[in-house]
Structures are given as C-alpha cells and as structure tokens.
Amino acid sequence: MNEPLTRKIIISAPAHEKLINQLQGRGFDVAYLPAISYEELFKIIPDAEGVIVTTRLGIDSTMINQAEKLKWIGRLGSGMELIDEQCAKEKGIVCISTPEGNRNAVAEHTLALTLNLMNNISKSFDEIKRGRWLRNENRGVELSGKTVGIVGYGNTGSTFAKLLSSFNVTVLAYDKYKDGFGSGYIKEANLEHICRYADVISFHLPLTAETYHMANADFFNSLQQKPFFITTCRGPVTDTTALINALTSGKLAGAALDVLENEKLDRLNSIEMCQLDFLTAQPNVIVTPHIAGYSNEAFSRMTEVLIAKLQSLNMI
C-alpha cells in the first residue's frame, strides 16, 4: 500500500514559531532551515510545494526551474526584487509578499531616525561618551511646522504619513503609480515639488530597474532647502557616491540610512569600505543595520498576513 504523499514547505529564513506551528497543524511537512544556502536549497526544492523567503536568498529562474512541484513563494516582508516574478508567473507559481505585516515598524523607525537626526540624539550621546557636554552645539530642529517629502506612497510611505499627523507638518507625497490620495495635511506632489520645498525627504520605494539610483546626483543637486534625507527602503535606490557628495557639499543637513547598497560588511570592496567609514564618521549621519521592519510585533504580524493570504488563495 502506497504511503500518502507529503506536502512539503521550506522556510529558508528566520520566522516566528507560529508560522511553523500553523503550517504543521494543516498537515504540511515543514522544513525550517533559516541558515540554508542557495546550493542546499537548490538540492531540496524539487520536493517543495511552497517556499518562504526574506532577503537572505534569491529565488532566481534557475531555482524556479528546479522547483518542479512549487505552487507558491511567500515573502516575509516587502520587496520582491530577489524573486524572478516573471519566471514564476510563467510556471504558474504564485508570489505573495506581506508588506502589511511590517509597514508600521518601518514607519516608526523612519520617524525615530528623523527625530534622532534633527535633535542630535546619537551625535550628542557619542560626545558624552567622550566626556563632552555640549548644549549650544546640539540645539535641535523641531519637526513641527516643517514640510516632509515622502517618495513612494505605498504601505510604508502612507503609514509614515499617518504617523506625522500630530506634528503639524505638511506632507508632500509623490508616487508615480498612485493619485487621488491627498487629504488634509497630505498633498500630492511631484518629485520637483519635493526637491524644492521639503525640509525632510524620506524614501519608501521598492527596488526595480526604474528606482535603481533614483536618489542620484541630479536628485541631490536639485534640493533647495538643505533637507534631512532618510531612507528605509532598499540600499541601491540611493547612489552612495552621490549621497556623500551631497553631504560634503552642504546640500543636505544630514542623512539617516537603514539600508546600504552592499549590506554584507564582510564583503565590501575598497570603495565601499571607504564610503562606510566616511558615513559612520559624520556627526550628521546615522546608519542602522536594515532593522526598520524587524520589530517583534512585525515578526509576528508578517506570519499572520502570510497565512491569511495563503488561505484566501486556497494554497493551504
């Protein structure tokens, strides 16, 4: 007598334990392999019905063509740049992301970076650790009454705008693929308006061929208000060389980055090492290690969103 076929799901990145429990509770054989390499995944993916990823591993056409039984790819978080969606579509494989799960975490982190930068919090703390108590030199700039430019008005950009509701700001929001969302303090704008009027500019874009190095020399040179620049989306959306030039030439009041073009610090080339050394040495720059969407709540909520979407599609 033949044994019943087992439906296998591979989780290739750290995930909340309830994701494993809920999938196992539905009868799936769950392979929880948060440290699996691309080569190891390639060997076992032919047996998988579903695979769950983050930004740790790419699911390219080679991997997809190897996945003979694959029905869906689940992405914990936002951004699908590491998945060959076109190849998946041609194979009838459904791709699912969960930006609703961590949009609040990203928005809160963006606000935290903004307030930190404008009020010299990290800067003054570093000075105190060196025995320097400098008050006049660390006068802050209030967010209240300022104009905030938001580039990209999707899940995270719109959530960040909502968090700003109590700060008495004007939000200029630009999204090439959206309109009709302006209301009250949120004004629809184009990129030229943001570059001309914004005191703070925050990027919330996916990484695509269109957005690669969107924050480039032309962008920074067009800034009129010497704004604070914040990015919590994807590193390659910003041209690091252009950003550094904007800082050194005084086009920016400061910059806060949760993302870098190359986030594998053990694999930086000599130019990237010099760039990171420069950025971390500046008193008006903050760099955090791509943690904006990594709150404890988001870690749990992304699981809930993925399960709900898989259920709605009758995938589990």
Side-chain angles (χ1 to χ4, degrees), residues 51-116:
V51 61
I52 296 170
V53 301
T54 58
T55 55
R56 216 181 61 77
L57 290 178
I59 305 297
D60 56 16
S61 59
T62 303
M63 183 72 75
I64 290 171
N65 288 328
Q66 174 78 348
E68 300 170 357
K69 300 178 183 178
L70 200 63
K71 294 181 179 179
W72 54 268
I73 301 168
R75 164 76 164 93
L76 293 175
S78 60
M80 304 291 275
E81 69 272 8
L82 293 180
I83 300 171
D84 190 330
E85 290 188 272
Q86 183 58 41
C87 181
K89 183 178 179 181
E90 291 170 359
K91 295 282 187 179
I93 299 168
V94 177
C95 296
I96 305 159
S97 64
T98 59
E100 303 89 346
N102 67 350
R103 61 188 174 190
N104 190 69
V106 175
E108 287 193 9
H109 193 85
T110 303
L111 180 58
L113 289 175
T114 302
L115 294 174
N116 186 326

Side-chain angles (χ1 to χ4, degrees), residues 18-255:
K18 68 181 178 183
L19 177 59
I20 304 165
N21 295 337
Q22 290 200 35
L23 291 171
Q24 288 177 335
R26 287 169 169 80
F28 289 96
D29 174 18
V30 179
Y32 181 55
L33 303 167
I36 192 172
S37 68
Y38 179 95
E39 292 74 19
E40 290 167 337
L41 179 60
F42 187 80
K43 291 179 181 178
I44 66 172
I45 203 168
D47 294 327
E49 178 176 317
V51 61
I52 296 170
V53 301
T54 58
T55 55
R56 216 181 61 77
L57 290 178
I59 305 297
D60 56 16
S61 59
T62 303
M63 183 72 75
I64 290 171
N65 288 328
Q66 174 78 348
E68 300 170 357
K69 300 178 183 178
L70 200 63
K71 294 181 179 179
W72 54 268
I73 301 168
R75 164 76 164 93
L76 293 175
S78 60
M80 304 291 275
E81 69 272 8
L82 293 180
I83 300 171
D84 190 330
E85 290 188 272
Q86 183 58 41
C87 181
K89 183 178 179 181
E90 291 170 359
K91 295 282 187 179
I93 299 168
V94 177
C95 296
I96 305 159
S97 64
T98 59
E100 303 89 346
N102 67 350
R103 61 188 174 190
N104 190 69
V106 175
E108 287 193 9
H109 193 85
T110 303
L111 180 58
L113 289 175
T114 302
L115 294 174
N116 186 326
L117 196 59
M118 296 180 75
N119 290 284
N120 296 314
I121 293 172
S122 291
K123 172 182 177 293
S124 59
F125 183 40
D126 286 341
E127 291 166 351
I128 289 172
K129 286 186 284 187
R130 298 195 303 270
R132 306 182 72 197
W133 189 269
L134 305 175
R135 297 187 69 206
N136 288 333
E137 294 85 347
N138 283 300
R139 288 184 185 272
V141 178
E142 293 184 13
L143 181 57
S144 178
K146 300 300 189 292
T147 297
V148 179
I150 297 178
V151 183
Y153 203 72
N155 279 286
T156 60
S158 62
T159 305
F160 178 49
K162 290 176 184 177
L163 287 185
L164 294 171
S165 63
S166 62
F167 283 88
N168 187 33
V169 298
T170 297
V171 170
L172 299 180
Y174 166 69
D175 195 306
K176 182 176 179 179
Y177 300 101
K178 279 188 173 184
D179 57 40
F181 55 80
S183 178
Y185 66 98
I186 300 170
K187 315 294 183 183
E188 294 176 48
N190 59 35
L191 199 58
E192 181 183 353
H193 291 145
I194 289 175
C195 291
R196 183 181 301 175
Y197 299 113
D199 303 295
V200 176
I201 299 177
S202 184
F203 269 66
H204 299 271
L205 296 168
L207 176 60
T208 66
E210 188 175 33
T211 64
Y212 176 79
H213 280 187
M214 186 170 171
N216 55 21
D218 289 342
F219 168 80
F220 289 117
N221 288 335
S222 67
L223 302 179
Q224 298 298 309
Q225 301 300 323
K226 193 175 180 179
F228 294 91
F229 175 77
I230 319 292
T231 178
T232 53
C233 55
R234 290 293 183 268
V237 170
T238 301
D239 180 341
T240 308
T241 299
L243 170 65
I244 289 173
N245 289 339
L247 287 164
T248 56
S249 65
K251 297 295 291 185
L252 293 173

